[in-house]
Amino acid sequence: VQLQASGGGLVQAGGSLRLSCAASGRIFSSHVMGWFRQAPGKERDFVAAIRWGGGRTYYADSVKGRFTTARDSAENTVYLQMNSLKPEDTAVYYCARGNGLSYAPAQYNIWGEGTLVTVSS
């Protein structure tokens, strides 16, 4: 399986972006698709996750109420809708596939290349 993230860009504070993550191979109902982000000089942090089977979602406190993740099983794609963006949301965003829910990057074994999101003040 390969993951391809897209949709990053430059946006003003308060604006919105939607990231997409397309999977080239099969995603099973037991898998979890996660979104992480890494700002310059910082560790990679959990942002959101969705269970492929059932669609239950999980969010970091810092994005709750502003970001929404969803999946399209037919398209094998997961999305991250980001609203009310803040300068501190600036980071490279990654999607990843894990075998179970975890907030730790190390528990995800397949990663896409990141997409840069820059929020200007």
Side-chain angles (χ1 to χ4, degrees), residues 1 3 23 25-34 49-56 58 71 76 78 96-102 107-110:
V1 172
L3 304 176
R26 185 79 182 271
I27 304 176
F28 295 96
S29 59
S30 59
H31 288 138
V32 171
M33 298 299 294
I50 183 167
R51 292 189 182 276
W52 200 255
R56 185 171 178 179
Y58 307 83
R71 80 217 189 293
N76 241 25
V78 62
R97 193 193 79 175
N99 294 320
L101 176 67
S102 174
Q107 299 304 313
Y108 291 77
N109 54 358
I110 296 177

Side-chain angles (χ1 to χ4, degrees), residues 36-39 43-45 47 62-63 67 89 91-93:
F36 293 79
R37 65 186 181 187
Q38 188 166 19
E43 295 184 349
R44 191 169 297 189
D45 290 331
V47 174
S62 58
V63 307
F67 290 12
D89 294 318
V92 176
Y93 283 71

